[in-house]
Amino acid sequence: QVQLQESGPGLVKPSETLSLTCTVSGGSISSSSSYWGWIRQPPGKGLEWIGNIYYSGTTYYNPSLKSRVTISVDTSKNHFSLKLSSVTAADTAVYYCARRGGSYSSAFEPWGQGTLVTVSS
Amino acid sequence: SYELTQPPSVSVSPGQTGSITCSGDKLGDKYAYWYQQKPGQSPVLVIYQDTKRPSGIPERFSGSNSGNTATLTISGTQAMDEADYYCQAWGSSTDDVVFGGGTKLTVL
């Protein structure tokens, strides 16, 4: 059973780069049927898709974040990563990683537990 | 950009049927997905490809999608179903992902 776990700093200063890693266990990140995604949720607000990556490295980003986002994959470590540059307080959110595809078409399932990232000086 | 619109809140009495709508331009031409999120927890997929239930999701959850509206229906609603529900579809392409704003389902 595939499980995902986010990791990274919980506090980032304004104008700096947010960096998170999602480690996949119980399955291979190189699965041909899966994409791997990042989604975030500001406190008390809804879900916002950030982007997806395929094991080959092909990426798809939310147009509203594209200029600041980089998602990469390391198949040898079975993990993928998120970098969001020039952060502001508006980037404070719980960041989730999730698998897109697998048994459920283009749905996101499962999700990681999420990690809260606060942008503050 | 493509948008999905959900009502902010829906109330339903225990044992009754509750429905949550998700509206978007020609949404019926796309697949709709639904997620349940309880406080402090990660979202859980409850409906995929408009009408299908993942394993482990109770039969009281069902979905439909036609025209501009997708609907999540919960029959015989239970107190444990109280949660936020989000719809999701693809946007301008199948690689683009859009979430609705979410609906808080209250069981009272």
Side-chain angles (χ1 to χ4, degrees):
Chain A
Q1 183 176 356
V2 171
Q3 294 182 311
L4 298 93
Q5 177 69 59
E6 306 87 352
S7 59
L11 181 64
V12 181
K13 290 182 168 56
S15 80
E16 296 189 345
T17 296
L18 177 159
S19 296
L20 296 173
T21 295
C22 180
T23 300
V24 178
S25 59
S28 173
I29 202 167
S30 299
S31 167
S32 60
S33 62
S34 300
Y35 282 81
W36 306 93
W38 288 99
I39 303 102
R40 70 181 183 178
Q41 184 173 36
K45 296 188 177 181
L47 302 170
E48 180 181 31
W49 173 66
I50 300 171
N52 297 337
I53 190 166
Y54 195 53
Y55 75 92
S56 63
T58 302
T59 53
Y60 304 93
Y61 298 137
N62 185 327
S64 69
L65 298 170
K66 187 174 183 177
S67 64
R68 298 194 293 130
V69 173
T70 302
I71 298 176
S72 59
V73 64
D74 187 333
T75 55
S76 67
K77 296 182 179 178
N78 222 40
H79 75 206
F80 60 108
S81 300
L82 168 70
K83 291 188 184 296
L84 181 65
S85 64
S86 305
V87 297
T88 68
D91 295 309
T92 293
V94 175
Y95 286 76
Y96 296 100
C97 60
R99 180 181 68 179
R100 186 185 185 201
S103 301
Y104 301 121
S105 181
S106 294
F108 289 103
E109 182 67 20
W111 297 56
Q113 66 181 33
T115 187
L116 175 63
V117 178
T118 302
V119 178
S120 175
S121 56
Chain B
S1 62
Y2 193 77
E3 294 185 357
L4 295 173
T5 301
Q6 298 180 235
S9 63
V10 169
S11 297
V12 60
S13 300
Q16 299 303 303
T17 296
S19 295
I20 299 172
T21 58
C22 175
S23 300
D25 185 48
K26 298 180 181 179
L27 180 56
D29 292 343
K30 309 171 186 283
Y31 279 134
Y33 305 84
W34 290 93
Y35 302 86
Q36 176 193 70
Q37 186 181 34
K38 296 182 178 180
Q41 298 183 17
S42 303
V44 172
L45 179 70
V46 294
I47 293 290
Y48 69 103
Q49 287 187 328
D50 296 338
T51 62
K52 299 178 181 179
R53 279 179 294 103
S55 59
I57 300 302
E59 291 184 8
R60 64 180 181 272
F61 288 87
S62 63
S64 64
N65 185 16
S66 179
N68 295 323
T69 304
T71 303
L72 172 69
T73 300
I74 309 172
S75 305
T77 306
Q78 300 183 11
M80 68 173 65
D81 300 328
E82 188 164 284
D84 293 327
Y85 291 85
Y86 295 90
C87 61
Q88 177 234 312
W90 62 69
S92 55
S93 73
T94 56
D95 299 310
D96 186 25
V97 176
V98 179
F99 286 99
T103 298
K104 181 176 181 61
L105 178 71
T106 301
V107 182
L108 46 69

